[in-house]
Amino acid sequence: DFSRSGHAWVVTETAMIQIAMGRLFDADDTLRRAYALYKKYELTEDMMVDFYRRVGSLRFNEGHYAESQKVYEMVLAIQKRQGFNPASAQILYTRNGINMTLIAQKRWREALAQYDEIDTLTWRSNSLLNIARQTEPRAMTYLNTGKVPQALQLMTGTLRWHVNNFGEDHYYTA
């Protein structure tokens, strides 16, 4: 039933906004309410991917990186069972979450391996490349794995784009 799943989804997305605002305690409470709705409406785990991704985001923002990683990996497993294309936007958003947890745990080699695999999947699609780019985290990964020229190239391109689009006096470029 769309109205029931829509109701649970709206509560879940409210938590996303609270996370972005830094209201983590409120987001936790909101996610608990969303979970209760998913269960009340007997919605399956397959319909809870966005919910679980928000839980992963909350745990990340709380500094619980290993727990966040487990949640994102669970989401990835659900998506694979659902038959998502490994190069789909939804899979990439989940893998971005996994990479952020790896980077936060300073697991640079694992993050680099993830980026290399993602690059293999996305090199033909500009829209997918944009999702997978993760400029700053990727540059940090490159720096911490000895790939200084790649980090420099990535950040130089980003600076050029910002100067061209915002000007030399913008806070991104000044």
Side-chain angles (χ1 to χ4, degrees), residues 11-30:
V11 176
T12 298
E13 293 307 287
T14 301
M16 179 190 71
I17 294 166
Q18 291 168 325
I19 293 166
M21 293 172 62
R23 294 175 51 192
L24 304 183
F25 290 114
D26 292 336
D28 189 88
D29 182 57
T30 300

Side-chain angles (χ1 to χ4, degrees), residues 21-145:
M21 293 172 62
R23 294 175 51 192
L24 304 183
F25 290 114
D26 292 336
D28 189 88
D29 182 57
T30 300
L31 286 171
R32 290 175 192 280
R33 287 187 296 125
Y35 184 80
L37 288 173
Y38 280 105
K39 293 306 171 187
K40 175 182 174 183
Y41 296 149
E42 299 179 353
L43 300 170
T44 64
E45 189 176 63
D46 289 353
M47 300 181 78
M48 296 175 68
V49 167
D50 286 334
F51 167 80
Y52 287 127
R53 244 194 301 212
R54 300 303 173 243
V55 171
S57 176
L58 175 62
R59 297 300 172 247
F60 181 88
N61 281 280
E62 291 171 336
H64 301 292
Y65 305 126
E67 185 179 342
S68 176
Q69 181 183 350
K70 287 178 187 173
V71 173
Y72 281 119
E73 287 173 349
M74 180 186 68
V75 170
L76 186 60
I78 292 168
Q79 291 172 316
K80 286 179 178 180
R81 278 197 313 273
Q82 289 176 325
F84 275 85
N85 180 328
S88 69
Q90 289 302 313
I91 293 273
L92 292 174
Y93 287 126
T94 301
R95 290 186 73 172
N96 284 349
I98 292 170
N99 264 359
M100 293 301 292
T101 67
L102 293 171
I103 291 164
Q105 296 173 81
K106 297 180 176 29
R107 293 167 57 188
W108 306 112
R109 295 267 173 228
E110 292 172 71
L112 180 62
Q114 287 281 332
Y115 282 130
D116 289 345
E117 187 177 325
I118 288 168
D119 290 346
T120 300
L121 294 170
T122 60
W123 69 274
R124 292 186 179 138
S125 167
N126 284 335
S127 62
L128 293 177
L129 283 170
N130 286 335
I131 294 168
R133 182 168 285 122
Q134 287 192 299
T135 303
E136 292 84 3
R138 185 182 285 252
M140 285 294 298
T141 300
Y142 287 162
L143 286 172
N144 283 281
T145 55

